[in-house]
Amino acid sequence: MRCILDGRIIVITSGKGGVGKTTATASIGAALALEGRRVAVVDMDIGLRNLDVVMGLENRIVFNVVDAVKGKCKLKQAAIKDRRIENLYLIPASQSDNKNVLAPEEMERFGEILRKEFDYILMDCPAGIERGFENSVASADEAVVICAPEVSSVRDADRVIGLLYAKSITPKLVINRIIPEMVERGDMLNHIDVVDVLSIELIGLVPMDDQVIVATNTGTPLVLQRKSKAGEAFRRIALRLNGMTDLPIEVPQAEGHFWRKVGAKLGLGK
Amino acid sequence: MFNDFLKKMMGTGSSKTDSKDVAKKRLKFALIYDKLEVSDDTLRCLHRDIIDVISRYFEIDQEAFKMDIRRSDDLSALIVNTPILSAKRHVSSQGQR
Ligand SMILES: Nc1ncnc2c1ncn2[C@@H]1O[C@H](COP(=O)(O)OP(=O)(O)OP(=O)(O)O)[C@@H](O)[C@H]1O
Ligand SMILES: [Mg+2]
């Protein structure tokens, strides 16, 4: 039986690769920990681990999620504590196995152990809808679908949303990699279009931001970078997940454009 | 919006359709098609079951029986076409089992 004090397991998924699941997991996880919650981020991309480098914790790995699930180590030994952010832990993927070493039933049992230790458990799902997806979703209570405003990504998101509904999970949507200038020109789907097509609840809009790559270069948490627009967007998503449901969703805006500034001065801009 | 006004003033964006609108339209159709995609096995079972059901009420020419899924812009239809040879008498409300 689940108890109200048990943590929430949230899977971060997308179907399509490279849309920002790992970036989102690291950033939302860090932001939730900064709110004082105990957070574990779990890299479920077995064989292709990346969450560790994004978080700058790659040289502290001793045990991994496969070891922990198989009982080869204690949960405490596999969970790497972040030294910059209190209450943030990474459970890394193993790099030598493949996705089939774990089974959904094992993950369900592992989820029960995680729930007792943490307030939030974020599962960084691999791309695809095969075993890695099944394992990541097995113990999840909730799901965040990451989608880029682009045809193939939206289509894959729709497929994943269908699979999540089949597991009685009602997913929430984050649109990442938005390029406001292209949206403005009418050359990129805007968030209203995407929500219209996918018809699920939107919880955040994240712009394309150079700071994401800068933060990844150095392995520092994006949400600590005050001037990062993507970092700020992920922080607001974390706040919304953490109960601040009336926090408005900000639509990414193009950089100060001469005519827009004039327009704004004249009270004509949006 | 001021930008739209500017676009029009400069003669850009007024005649050309936005590529994102094309994207949205294509997406909507792609998603419908994706969901209607049925395996050959499913179609074969459906084919057999429909023949079974119709045969309870009518004598039909099974060789000439045709079944097809048609998709047009805004709707999809399952089209069944079969020559009826004769009606069967004494059909109970449950059909003949
Ligand atoms: N908002 C953003 N602005 C700029 N770059 C971004 C943004 N989001 C993600 N990226 C970059 O896109 C790339 C893919 O991101 P990420 O690894 O988070 O995706 P993923 O969905 O986890 O990929 P995979 O499916 O391979 O696991 C990375 O190089 C990342 O730095
Ligand atoms: Mg990833």
Side-chain angles (χ1 to χ4, degrees):
Chain A
M1 266 310 280
R2 279 201 58 200
C3 127
I4 26 170
L5 289 176
D6 283 358
R8 292 157 62 184
I9 302 185
I10 306 176
V11 59
I12 315 284
T13 183
S14 67
K16 191 172 163 61
V19 296
K21 296 176 291 294
T22 301
T23 307
T25 306
S27 303
I28 297 172
L32 285 169
L34 287 170
E35 289 300 297
R37 313 308 297 264
R38 282 177 64 82
V39 180
V41 291
V42 186
D43 191 345
M44 290 301 295
D45 207 341
I46 315 263
L48 280 173
R49 72 175 171 215
N50 267 326
L51 189 54
D52 56 334
V53 280
V54 171
M55 296 178 71
L57 298 172
E58 69 277 12
N59 46 33
R60 294 183 43 209
I61 298 178
V62 181
F63 294 105
N64 58 55
V65 65
V66 176
D67 297 324
V69 172
K70 301 283 182 195
K72 288 185 193 149
C73 71
K74 298 231 171 68
L75 174 59
K76 284 209 168 64
Q77 294 173 291
I80 304 167
K81 186 172 160 40
D82 191 299
R83 294 197 180 111
R84 293 150 303 190
I85 299 177
E86 193 76 19
N87 294 322
L88 179 61
Y89 294 80
L90 163 71
I91 302 178
S94 100
Q95 188 71 319
S96 53
D97 297 296
N98 72 47
K99 269 121 191 140
N100 296 328
V101 296
L102 295 180
E105 303 75 49
E106 291 177 298
M107 283 308 296
E108 266 178 64
R109 264 177 273 131
F110 186 56
E112 294 313 310
I113 300 171
L114 289 169
R115 278 201 184 92
K116 302 280 178 236
E117 295 298 321
F118 300 98
D119 298 319
Y120 286 98
I121 301 102
L122 305 185
M123 298 281 177
D124 181 12
C125 183
I129 51 172
E130 296 84 19
R131 180 67 83 80
F133 170 80
E134 294 290 331
N135 287 338
S136 309
V137 172
S139 61
D141 309 297
E142 298 163 48
V144 171
V145 171
I146 314 279
C147 168
E150 179 238 321
V151 178
S152 50
S153 175
V154 177
R155 184 197 214 176
D156 291 1
D158 183 75
R159 180 93 171 89
V160 159
I161 290 166
L163 294 172
L164 290 166
Y165 275 129
K167 296 183 186 297
S168 309
I169 298 175
T170 305
K172 294 180 173 139
L173 180 68
V174 167
I175 307 175
N176 183 29
R177 300 178 141 266
I178 297 171
I179 303 174
E181 292 80 4
M182 287 190 74
V183 173
E184 202 160 278
R185 257 188 275 138
D187 277 333
M188 182 176 267
L189 292 163
N190 65 39
H191 67 282
I192 299 163
D193 296 324
V194 179
V195 171
D196 184 33
V197 171
L198 295 177
S199 44
I200 61 169
E201 185 195 342
L202 181 71
I203 54 157
L205 300 171
V206 185
M208 197 72 144
D209 180 0
D210 293 352
Q211 292 302 312
V212 172
I213 291 165
V214 175
T216 313
N217 284 343
T218 53
T220 45
L222 185 64
V223 288
L224 291 182
Q225 229 120 321
R226 273 290 148 205
K227 56 179 197 287
S228 164
K229 288 185 176 175
E232 177 60 14
F234 281 123
R235 200 177 66 82
R236 294 172 70 90
I237 292 165
L239 292 176
R240 245 172 249 123
L241 284 172
N242 195 31
M244 208 189 275
T245 43
D246 53 356
L247 186 69
I249 293 173
E250 280 182 357
V251 181
Q253 300 293 327
E255 291 293 333
H257 179 282
F258 175 69
W259 284 110
R260 188 202 326 287
K261 282 184 187 155
V262 174
K265 284 234 167 67
L266 295 173
L268 292 166
K270 40 181 165 177
Chain B
M1 229 188 306
F2 191 60
N3 269 298
D4 289 348
F5 171 70
L6 269 183
K7 266 193 197 169
K8 290 218 174 74
M9 287 290 290
M10 292 160 165
T12 54
S14 49
S15 57
K16 100 172 205 298
T17 44
D18 288 343
S19 71
K20 71 105 177 169
D21 289 325
V22 179
K24 186 176 182 185
K25 202 160 173 225
R26 288 181 55 223
L27 251 174
K28 283 196 157 170
F29 288 129
L31 296 190
I32 297 170
Y33 290 171
D34 289 353
K35 276 165 202 158
L36 275 176
E37 197 177 74
V38 278
S39 71
D40 282 0
D41 259 3
T42 312
L43 279 181
R44 233 172 286 134
C45 291
L46 178 64
H47 188 275
R48 193 198 54 218
D49 288 350
I50 291 179
I51 289 185
D52 281 356
V53 170
I54 298 179
S55 302
R56 283 189 220 147
Y57 304 89
F58 300 102
E59 206 76 58
I60 62 173
D61 179 356
Q62 298 205 1
E63 296 306 309
F65 180 93
K66 275 206 186 96
M67 195 182 87
D68 190 19
I69 291 180
R70 290 226 188 111
R71 290 150 185 171
S72 66
D73 275 7
D74 49 358
L75 59 99
S76 302
L78 174 71
I79 296 166
V80 172
N81 198 335
T82 177
I84 294 175
L85 303 177
S86 66
K88 288 190 175 173
R89 310 261 162 214
H90 317 298
V91 184
S92 77
S93 59
Q94 304 293 309
Q96 291 177 339
R97 280 272 159 193

